[in-house]
Every structure is written in structure tokens, then in C-alpha cells.
Amino acid sequence: MPWNNPEAVDHIDRPIIGVGNEYPPAFELDWHQHRRGQLLYAARGVVVLSTPQGAWVAPPERAVWTPGGCPHAVRMVGAVSTRSVLVEPGVQGSLGGETKVIQVSPLLRSLLEAACEIAPEYDRDGRDGKLMALLLAELALAPTVPLAVPFPQTPALAAKCQAFLEQPTPRDSIDQWSADLGMGRRAFTRAFRRETGLSFGEWRQQACVLIALPRLAQGEAVTGIAFDLGYDSAAAFTTMFKRRLGVPPNRYLPGGSL
């Protein structure tokens, strides 16, 4: 049976510990943080994780890494089974000091499942310790996936971005956003790129992908999502989505093969 309380195992002297949980549809974890870094993987369902710096989404075959000490909140899309690991700071495979989404290979998925069945005080030199060491090695090799929507540091601009994620206004232009914020167009575009690392257009596409993924996971039609996000056709939305993630959106529908 999976171990399911991160705080209860935090004191245990092991470099990595598996933690599994089952959540009902639409369950939300309020803002919290862990001393250790956490890799959050949804074996079933989709998780959307928010930090003060942005939002990340982990559909099937993806997982979100949150470094130790980083405040975050999590929203579950559908019924969710999480298989996570808590990693001591500085341990090889801890994935660094920034929140990110990583690709979960079939081997890594199997290792995450197995890790959550291992008692926290496992024998470091035995079979369980070797499995955990292999898991750390796989984490260190896992590629990063661009499923992040960074927030700017300027509070008013960050609030505008957060509002877009909650209620998209995809037909708003740069001129509309800059006017709403009382900024000139050039000042707005420079500030936006400086604080997010993306152009306004790139950021909006990333935001649309993040908004679309949970809806796809719930079985909504691609055409309806495309129109809601301001695209003139499903084909146009699919082109953008495939450019961003490398696969078309229907691959994320229930029963889609990734």
C-alpha cells in the first residue's frame, strides 16, 4: 500500500522516499511547501500546480518537479492517483532549484509506482535501495518539457496573467493589455519578455496549452476548446498545439495513445 503522508516521513534518513495518494475529482491542495524537493506524477488524471512564479500542468506521461521550500498549490482534474517522490536537497537527481515539468519514460513510470510501495526506512544496501538509486539516476536523465506558464514579477501584470488562466480572453491584443495596465505598447512588450522570458504571443500560446490539457483529459471536443481559446478552427489550434508539444491534442483525450 502506498505511503501517503509527506510530513510523516520527512525526518527519515533516506535520500529519496516514495509517497502515493488517491484524490477525488476536482480536489485541491491549498498552498503548502515541503523541505524536500517533490516530483509529483499523476498515474491517473491530470494535476495543475501553481507557485508564485507561474503555473505548470502534468498530463499523462509528465510529472512536475517542485524544489524544496517552494510554496505551491495543486488542483486535481478528474480522479487522480499520484505517485510522488520526496528528494533530499543536494542529492543527485534532485532536478535543481526551479519548478519544471519532465517527461516520464515507461521505465521511470514503473520505478515511481514501485517506489511508493517501498517502506520509507528501506535497506539502502538491499534490493529497495538499489531500486531507489536507479530511480534517482533516471530522474537525472529525464528531459524537461515546456509546459510552464511563468508569471511576471510586477504584481499588476502577474494578476493580469492569472486572470487569463482563470477566464481566458484570447482575443485581447497587446494594445488592450497595455492600455488596461496604463503602459505604452513598447514598455509593455519589453517588460513582459524581461519578466517571463517569453513574448506576449508565446506566453498566450503556452497558457492556451495549459488551459486546454485538463479539458482534453476530461474528454471535451477539440473543436469546442479551440473556439473557446480564440482559434478560428480546430486545425489552427491543432497546429499550434503540435508545435508546442510535438503531438496533436487528440492524443490527450481519454483513450489517446501517448
Side-chain angles (χ1 to χ4, degrees):
M1 177 167 179
W3 304 89
N4 59 17
N5 187 344
E7 301 309 318
V9 300
D10 183 68
H11 67 285
I12 295 174
D13 183 21
R14 296 295 185 276
I16 180 171
I17 295 174
V19 177
N21 275 294
E22 306 293 326
Y23 296 101
F27 189 85
E28 295 189 13
L29 292 171
D30 203 359
W31 289 93
H32 64 287
Q33 63 189 58
H34 308 288
R35 183 186 65 81
R36 297 174 183 240
Q38 181 185 38
L39 183 74
L40 182 62
Y41 170 65
R44 176 168 59 99
V46 174
V47 296
V48 180
L49 184 143
S50 299
T51 78
Q53 289 74 45
W56 288 259
V57 62
E61 313 310 324
R62 309 287 190 271
V64 185
W65 168 257
T66 309
C70 177
H72 58 281
V74 184
R75 176 168 58 90
M76 312 299 169
V77 180
V80 174
S81 298
T82 62
R83 297 295 180 263
S84 304
V85 287
L86 303 168
V87 184
E88 278 287 347
V91 170
Q92 184 177 6
S94 67
L95 296 175
E98 295 184 358
T99 304
K100 66 180 75 172
V101 176
I102 67 165
Q103 175 77 40
V104 176
S105 67
L107 174 57
L108 182 53
R109 180 179 66 246
S110 296
L111 290 169
L112 289 168
E113 293 274 7
C116 293
E117 301 293 337
I118 292 176
E121 295 184 271
Y122 54 84
D123 179 0
R124 292 173 183 257
D125 299 319
R127 179 262 185 190
D128 292 342
K130 290 179 172 63
L131 186 148
M132 291 300 204
L134 178 58
L135 174 51
L136 284 170
E138 284 298 301
L139 285 181
L141 296 174
T144 300
V145 181
L147 286 175
V149 181
F151 291 161
Q153 297 175 349
T154 302
L157 191 51
K160 187 77 171 170
C161 291
Q162 181 67 53
F164 183 92
L165 292 182
E166 294 173 359
Q167 188 170 356
T169 53
R171 297 192 183 278
D172 281 359
S173 64
I174 290 177
D175 291 332
Q176 181 66 57
W177 276 47
S178 57
D180 290 347
L181 294 166
M183 301 173 68
R185 179 187 175 94
R186 180 174 295 181
F188 171 85
T189 56
R190 287 179 175 175
F192 200 95
R193 182 177 287 279
R194 182 176 64 251
E195 296 189 22
T196 67
L198 301 170
S199 71
F200 178 72
E202 291 169 336
W203 184 93
R204 187 163 55 182
Q205 288 184 354
Q206 282 291 92
C208 286
V209 168
L210 184 142
I211 293 163
L213 281 167
R215 295 179 61 178
L216 291 166
Q218 292 180 308
E220 293 191 36
V222 173
T223 300
I225 296 171
F227 288 155
D228 287 348
L229 294 177
Y231 287 83
D232 294 330
S233 67
F237 172 73
T238 296
T239 297
M240 179 281 293
F241 192 100
K242 189 172 182 179
R243 185 170 61 247
R244 288 283 168 185
L245 294 188
V247 296
N250 60 15
R251 297 285 291 277
Y252 287 94
L253 292 168
S257 177
L258 286 170

